[in-house]
Amino acid sequence: MITDKPKVSIIIVNFNGERFLEKSFSSIRRNKGVSYEIIFVDNASKDKSVEFVTKNYPNTKIIQNKSNLGFAGGNNIGVRKAKGEYFLLLNNDTIIESDFLKKTLRAFEEIPNLGCLQPKIVLMKDNNVLDSCGSYLTDTSFLYHYGYDKEQSLAKYNISIPIFSVKGVAILTKRQIVEKIGLFDDDFWCYFEETDFCHRLWMAGFEVWYYPKAKIFHAAGGTTLLFFHNSYIQFQNFKNKLISFLKNFETVTLIKLIPVYLLIVFFLSIYFLFNFKFKYIVSLYKALLWNIIHIRSTLAKRKHIQLLRKVSDQAIFNKVKRNPRIIYYYYQQIGKLKNYVDKPYETSQK
């Protein structure tokens, strides 16, 4: 129910997503017993998204940006207008279950030091398949996306477990946490911003969990795949990943990780060269160049962020670093991650 004093502020960032909004808003409306507000942040859409929300959901707070500020900038603006005790960052191409808000709030009572959670995300096109259970750190600098494209009914995907990073489709966190460590870095625009946020949560002594008792359905790439070339997505991904590393990791970790990252960029560029994907090569080195040009700004952010640190890198690694078998990366490269068999989570796993 929508109130002036909401328990949860639901923030939806939108860019030309009119076709998703009826199902998404209807699913939110079915949630009872938890007070909420909806903040709809439109990133200069060319379709009739704003008109649709204005007409059909008049109690929604609408913010119209004059330009596309991306997922990061859009959510940051939405949070500044939010009144709730909790913030739910929700993609516009999702459908939530009728008890979703109740269940996710319950997680903060069940899990000590919970900073944010990711629900079970099921693909809208196939309700038997997971989008992802979240991600783990690895030694390669790439994330290990646990449960990606797997059968959602398997027991190992139906237990609550700590993860390094949520997927930005649906994130629930607390106002007091965002006020302490901030939300997203505006320089990210889109991609890896949720991982950067989760990294700061772990550093500050909070935890990040996958919580399958709450479930949503996701159209998967409903906006980005239609309006942005994959080479641009790669640029944002690699640019933001390096920014996040430089801001958040301890110096000793950076000395080990940055050479690995650069080596991967080099080999990826060779792979793209032999596959005639020249735009992808440009995107990789453009990401490096961006970081070189903006290194002073990044180091200034690093100085501030490291003051928040209460937990060492090694302590974080002990909880949420998991190296998949080498074949994982082969399947990832050829788009067949569904063929990779995840090992069940083990508390002793490092």
Side-chain angles (χ1 to χ4, degrees), residues 285-296:
Y285 289 99
K286 184 180 176 183
L288 292 178
L289 180 61
W290 191 100
N291 274 277
I292 292 171
I293 293 172
H294 295 86
I295 188 64
R296 287 187 178 181

Side-chain angles (χ1 to χ4, degrees), residues 137-272:
L137 283 165
T138 72
D139 290 326
T140 66
S141 82
F142 280 96
L143 295 176
Y144 167 27
H145 303 301
Y146 187 69
Y148 181 83
D149 209 18
K150 304 298 193 301
E151 185 179 335
Q152 64 102 358
S153 62
L154 295 177
K156 58 188 170 184
Y157 304 130
N158 285 282
I159 57 171
S160 298
I161 53 175
I163 52 177
F164 176 62
S165 171
V166 299
K167 185 166 184 174
V169 175
I171 304 172
L172 185 69
T173 188
K174 284 185 174 181
R175 167 186 290 276
Q176 65 186 53
I177 290 174
V178 173
E179 289 176 345
K180 181 176 182 179
I181 71 167
L183 187 59
F184 297 146
D185 187 326
D186 282 324
D187 282 336
F188 279 40
W189 199 77
C190 70
Y191 288 93
F192 217 76
E193 65 285 298
E194 72 271 58
T195 302
D196 180 68
F197 172 63
C198 289
H199 196 160
R200 282 182 278 122
L201 281 169
W202 281 105
M203 289 170 57
F206 300 103
E207 296 194 348
V208 181
W209 281 63
Y210 165 63
Y211 190 74
K213 294 178 183 179
K215 184 166 65 175
I216 72 166
F217 303 90
H218 182 218
T223 296
T224 53
L225 294 180
L226 284 177
F227 296 102
F228 303 101
H229 192 275
N230 198 36
S231 61
Y232 181 73
I233 294 172
Q234 289 295 336
F235 161 69
Q236 290 292 341
N237 188 25
F238 277 86
K239 170 180 73 73
N240 299 344
K241 186 182 296 185
L242 185 52
I243 298 172
S244 186
F245 293 167
L246 293 171
K247 290 192 306 177
N248 299 331
F249 282 122
E250 293 173 333
T251 302
V252 173
T253 304
L254 284 176
I255 291 172
K256 298 176 182 178
L257 188 64
I258 295 301
V260 174
Y261 172 85
L262 295 175
L263 194 61
I264 288 173
V265 168
F266 173 74
F267 281 116
L268 271 177
S269 64
I270 298 299
Y271 172 81
F272 291 145

Side-chain angles (χ1 to χ4, degrees), residues 243-343:
I243 298 172
S244 186
F245 293 167
L246 293 171
K247 290 192 306 177
N248 299 331
F249 282 122
E250 293 173 333
T251 302
V252 173
T253 304
L254 284 176
I255 291 172
K256 298 176 182 178
L257 188 64
I258 295 301
V260 174
Y261 172 85
L262 295 175
L263 194 61
I264 288 173
V265 168
F266 173 74
F267 281 116
L268 271 177
S269 64
I270 298 299
Y271 172 81
F272 291 145
L273 178 64
F274 281 102
N275 286 274
F276 305 102
K277 295 183 177 181
F278 303 118
K279 288 185 177 180
Y280 291 74
I281 299 174
V282 172
S283 69
L284 292 177
Y285 289 99
K286 184 180 176 183
L288 292 178
L289 180 61
W290 191 100
N291 274 277
I292 292 171
I293 293 172
H294 295 86
I295 188 64
R296 287 187 178 181
S297 172
T298 301
L299 292 179
K301 293 176 185 176
R302 172 183 174 82
K303 184 177 180 180
H304 171 73
I305 289 169
Q306 292 302 317
L307 294 175
L308 299 171
R309 182 181 290 278
K310 292 184 178 180
V311 181
S312 68
D313 282 355
Q314 188 57 54
I316 297 171
F317 295 161
N318 289 344
K319 289 188 175 183
V320 286
K321 177 184 274 190
R322 299 185 71 191
N323 287 305
R325 301 179 300 282
I326 193 67
I327 198 171
Y328 171 88
Y329 299 104
Y330 169 73
Y331 284 140
Q332 185 179 47
Q333 195 59 45
I334 66 172
K336 297 287 186 180
L337 271 183
K338 65 180 179 181
N339 294 336
Y340 181 79
V341 179
D342 296 311
K343 292 182 179 180

